[in-house]
Amino acid sequence: MKEIFEAVGKAAFRIQEALSYDDTGYADNKNATGDVQLKLDIKSDYIVEEELSRIPTVKALASEEKDQVDLVNESGRYIIGYDPLDGSSLADVNLSVGSIFGIYEGDLNGPSLKAAIYVVYGPRIELVSAYRDRVELWRLDRNGKFSFVQTLSLKERGKLLAPGGTQKHWYPHHKTMVDALFQEGYRLRYSGGMVPDLHQILIKGGGLFAYPGTSDKPEGKLRLVFEVLPFAFVYEMAGGEAIDDRGRRLMEYTVAGHHDTCPCFFGSREEIGAVKRAYGI
Ligand code: AHG
């Protein structure tokens, strides 16, 4: 596992260089789910593949940018599900973006997750790892290495609310819940990048991030293997909760297709309680 963490650190260092200096324009390609790809998406995917495929314990790579799962080392142990540059459409406006990694053993289902890592490319480059009951914050230092900063945990209740999805298509009970939370005093914090948005809630100690099912997208937008399950793993390990719109723990999900999406709620215990009451679950 240590070599995987180190390889993710090396990939993150190279991706932040690309973000700093490369063109933020579109490429001619579309990815596996039909999104038009940025040149940065393609380069980040290439960097991650190059760094992770040389680690002998990595058996296969499942990228958000690709249709297929690629076998890289027959005798390896882990399958890495990753989004090399999440929120890449924010790069041209110079907002924070991220990379997300789920380290699975055996298959790409929730219970098979052994560790999760995400990287935030902001004014500083930070990496959060969740492994063996510890969620740790690391920061890129002057020498190009990640230095340990502190462990992270969520409080019982926070102050921030990140409500995703197109409001016009929210179901009435979802809108009622969001309105009620704002009336209680929650502050809006939503950038459109799940990595910085969830990172902010985690660092500030609590709150709610919601990307619900909507009338136009009943299964939500965020992808289980590359985005939802790694963050569910981090949030649960930090003492929070991560559920779908039926109250099911996201970590219990088995995945039919590795590009599947699902409605998702991540937060501290009190805010997830509010979701359960609003959804009657
Ligand atoms: P993408 O990687 O296509 O830019 O999508 C980003 C994801 C996620 O990071 C974020 O929370 C969500 O899309 C934002 O979606 P909305 O624009 O619908 O709010």
Side-chain angles (χ1 to χ4, degrees):
M1 195 61 81
K2 186 167 177 273
E3 345 169 84
I4 294 175
F5 280 37
E6 285 171 1
V8 166
K10 283 185 198 159
F13 182 79
R14 292 174 62 190
I15 291 171
Q16 65 89 22
E17 280 196 317
L19 281 165
S20 299
Y21 307 115
D22 284 16
D23 180 4
T24 59
Y26 286 103
D28 297 328
N29 315 22
K30 286 191 175 167
N31 71 7
T33 38
D35 304 327
V36 182
Q37 284 179 301
L38 296 171
K39 292 176 196 166
L40 282 168
D41 288 318
I42 296 169
K43 183 154 182 182
S44 304
D45 193 30
Y46 174 79
I47 290 170
V48 173
E49 187 183 323
E50 193 174 67
E51 293 295 344
L52 286 176
S53 59
R54 49 180 167 229
I55 307 299
T57 53
V58 174
K59 184 185 182 87
L61 295 174
S63 169
E64 193 249 342
E65 298 297 332
K66 296 201 184 83
D67 257 330
Q68 74 289 355
V69 177
D70 289 326
L71 182 69
V72 292
N73 294 300
E74 188 78 58
S75 59
R77 183 168 170 189
Y78 300 110
I79 312 173
I80 319 276
Y82 67 94
D83 185 347
L85 199 59
D86 184 78
S88 55
S89 60
L90 299 172
D92 64 348
V93 289
N94 205 16
L95 284 176
S96 297
V97 295
S99 301
I100 312 168
F101 303 85
I103 296 139
Y104 299 82
E105 189 170 359
D107 54 41
L108 290 167
N109 295 322
S112 308
L113 258 179
K114 297 292 173 250
I117 306 172
Y118 68 81
V119 181
V120 194
Y121 308 98
R124 307 199 248 204
I125 315 302
E126 294 190 330
L127 182 153
V128 171
S129 60
Y131 182 53
R132 290 187 172 158
D133 289 332
R134 275 169 71 91
V135 179
E136 297 182 341
L137 173 67
W138 301 73
R139 191 172 293 141
L140 193 66
D141 66 21
R142 283 191 171 85
N143 305 313
K145 300 272 178 237
F146 282 93
S147 302
F148 174 72
V149 180
Q150 63 179 87
T151 58
L152 298 174
S153 61
L154 285 156
K155 300 183 187 122
E156 285 293 300
R157 177 190 173 94
K159 296 178 182 161
L160 306 182
L161 179 56
T166 308
Q167 297 191 20
K168 178 180 154 186
H169 299 299
W170 282 353
Y171 294 123
H173 57 283
H174 184 80
K175 181 173 166 31
T176 303
M177 176 190 80
V178 172
D179 289 347
L181 288 170
F182 282 132
Q183 283 306 314
E184 275 181 48
Y186 280 84
R187 312 290 300 269
L188 174 65
R189 293 291 183 272
Y190 191 78
S191 73
M194 79 179 296
V195 176
D197 288 339
L198 279 159
H199 188 60
Q200 179 165 199
I201 291 171
L202 183 56
I203 295 287
K204 303 285 189 196
L208 176 68
F209 175 98
Y211 207 106
T214 49
S215 57
D216 62 330
K217 287 185 185 168
E219 294 310 312
K221 172 183 181 186
L222 301 179
R223 300 152 194 103
L224 274 157
V225 165
F226 319 110
E227 297 167 323
V228 172
L229 293 176
F231 268 109
F233 191 84
V234 172
Y235 263 56
E236 284 200 354
M237 206 169 272
E241 291 188 47
I243 61 168
D244 71 3
D245 55 356
R246 290 172 296 161
R248 187 174 167 200
R249 274 180 71 223
L250 295 166
M251 285 303 300
E252 289 171 4
Y253 263 71
T254 52
V255 178
H258 71 277
H259 283 278
D260 288 359
T261 62
C262 79
C264 52
F265 302 87
F266 305 87
S268 12
R269 291 188 195 281
E270 288 214 14
E271 288 82 0
I272 293 293
V275 174
K276 290 178 180 167
R277 286 191 295 281
Y279 277 73
I281 48 184

